[in-house]
Amino acid sequence: MSTADEKPRFGFARSFWAKLGLSLVIMAGFVFLLQHGALELKPSNEALSRIDGTSVGAFLVVYSAMHFVRCARWWLLLAPVQRVPLGTVVRVALVGYLAIALLPFRMGEAARPLLIRRDAKVSAWAATGTVGAERLIDGLSISLLLLLALRVARPMDPLPDHIGNLPIPVRIVPSVAVAMASAFATGCVVMALFYWRRAWAERVTLAVLGVVSVRFARWLASRLTETASGLGFLTHVRYTLPYLLATLAYWLLNATSWWVLAQGTGLETIGYFQAMAVMGVVALGIVVPSTPGFFGAFQLAIYAGLAMYLPPGEVEGTGAVYAFYGYVLPMGLCVLYGAAATLVRPAPPAATKLGQEGDSRLAAR
């Protein structure tokens, strides 16, 4: 006998396999592009063996600390909605980041809201808003840090008109950084309007976009309202300042891990702010969801970041070792911690404090 759940599951499966197939095609395109541009995905074993073991150890420690801060700060976004044990928040976040790493087109973004709903009885609608707010603040933070890094650690002048053998002018990187910072700043303003002036913002959205499609305008206004709900922590000073400080610590630790790895792979000329710039280019390079594990886009972004500071020969040589470990080590740790978190038995869910009126809306996506 069929149930009401069968059709949605079938639809999700069909959507998943279609997106997976498309992501694999995109991945193949990245592989071809990198190989055509003489940008290695895997250098020789001899080149890889020259990495300094002490630096690798330091990288593992710094990255692990960064990843914990990244997961734990979510507690500060959830607290105004509902208090959840920190251990539950970290475990769910670890599994959520694993899902994001493995699934194409960032389909894993839904994992955290659904898991926190199951394990702590937090409204999935409210949890989705906190995740959206986190993404927006992270985007603005990394854009501003990239602009700061480019200001402190000036790129070469003139910048190369190619990356490897690819006719991609490196000078577009700083321009993209400015554009992304402006976009995320605009997004923050829009979210603030939908949080503090919801009715007015919805009316404006319907008036402007309703000319094209009333249905789309209503859908967009609803999605923006859901995301803006995650800004509730801003009305609580005891959560706002700690969250912003935790976010800053997260990104500074992340930059430190990139700098430590540069020293270990033989790129001693890469200083801290140059490593921060490379990190920023990578973070913005994988904003657009595509392949599982961000494979291809991640490595290409590393090469683009290095091309601002290193001569082409060094980018294609020692830079290839850096690009390999810069992808494999963090991705491997993310998968390892996430897999370990899936083995931890969740604690009995706490009593719900919010209605579940938005959960069905999330499941229907």
Side-chain angles (χ1 to χ4, degrees):
M1 182 176 180
S2 62
T3 66
D5 291 336
E6 290 178 0
K7 186 174 182 180
R9 282 202 297 265
F10 174 76
F12 171 80
R14 181 172 57 186
S15 173
F16 170 76
W17 290 113
K19 289 180 179 179
L20 178 61
L22 179 59
S23 71
L24 294 178
V25 172
I26 296 174
M27 182 185 295
F30 273 119
V31 171
F32 172 80
L33 190 67
L34 288 165
Q35 290 180 340
H36 180 72
L39 303 172
E40 294 182 300
L41 286 169
K42 180 189 178 298
S44 67
N45 292 335
E46 179 183 358
L48 293 176
S49 66
R50 290 197 291 267
I51 189 172
D52 178 59
T54 303
S55 296
V56 172
F59 173 88
L60 297 178
V61 171
V62 174
Y63 184 89
S64 298
M66 177 274 295
H67 200 47
F68 173 79
V69 172
R70 180 191 192 191
C71 295
R73 65 187 176 139
W74 190 32
W75 183 90
L76 294 164
L77 292 181
L78 290 171
V81 177
Q82 179 177 317
R83 288 294 187 96
V84 181
L86 180 60
T88 299
V89 172
V90 172
R91 178 180 54 78
V92 168
L94 288 172
V95 177
Y97 288 126
L98 169 66
I100 293 173
L102 295 183
L103 297 179
F105 295 102
R106 287 191 180 270
M107 294 176 68
E109 292 284 7
R112 277 196 289 167
L114 294 177
L115 288 173
I116 205 69
R117 170 195 173 192
R118 183 198 69 181
D119 296 348
K121 295 300 182 183
V122 176
S123 166
W125 174 74
T128 301
T130 65
V131 172
E134 177 189 277
R135 285 283 175 256
L136 197 60
I137 293 172
D138 273 346
L140 179 60
S141 299
I142 189 56
S143 298
L144 294 177
L145 285 175
L146 176 55
L147 292 177
L148 171 65
L150 292 174
R151 182 79 175 178
V152 176
R154 296 282 187 177
M156 295 185 299
D157 186 20
L159 285 169
D161 59 0
H162 60 282
I163 303 174
N165 291 337
L166 298 176
I168 302 176
V170 183
R171 65 177 179 273
I172 68 173
V173 175
S175 301
V176 170
V178 174
M180 293 297 287
S182 302
F184 281 115
T186 302
C188 287
V189 172
V190 171
M191 290 301 100
L193 289 174
F194 268 87
Y195 184 79
W196 279 289
R197 298 289 185 270
R198 174 180 173 180
W200 178 84
E202 288 180 341
R203 286 198 303 271
V204 171
T205 302
L206 290 173
V208 175
L209 298 180
V211 177
V212 179
S213 171
V214 174
R215 182 177 180 182
F216 173 74
R218 288 174 176 169
W219 175 87
L220 180 62
S222 176
R223 297 289 84 78
L224 290 174
T225 299
E226 289 178 10
T227 303
S229 68
L231 297 178
F233 79 106
L234 290 174
T235 61
H236 301 77
V237 178
R238 59 175 175 167
Y239 299 127
T240 305
L241 183 59
Y243 180 80
L244 295 178
L245 290 175
T247 297
L248 179 61
Y250 155 53
W251 284 113
L252 293 180
L253 284 170
N254 202 350
T256 301
S257 71
W258 283 93
W259 174 71
V260 168
L261 188 61
Q263 307 310 299
T265 54
L267 297 178
E268 291 87 358
T269 58
I270 295 294
Y272 180 80
F273 284 97
Q274 291 170 322
M276 179 183 289
V278 175
M279 174 195 71
V281 173
V282 173
L284 296 181
I286 61 176
V287 163
V288 178
S290 56
T291 61
F294 315 109
F295 189 84
F298 199 107
Q299 291 93 329
L300 182 59
I302 294 177
Y303 281 117
L306 291 178
M308 295 191 297
Y309 299 107
L310 301 176
E314 193 169 359
V315 170
E316 298 168 28
T318 309
V321 177
Y322 183 68
F324 177 83
Y325 284 114
Y327 175 79
V328 171
L329 290 178
M331 197 60 60
L333 286 176
C334 180
V335 171
L336 176 64
Y337 290 140
T342 62
L343 301 177
V344 177
R345 181 184 296 274
T352 182
K353 296 183 181 180
L354 291 178
Q356 305 297 323
E357 68 278 359
D359 292 351
S360 58
R361 295 166 64 186
L362 178 68
R365 286 186 182 181

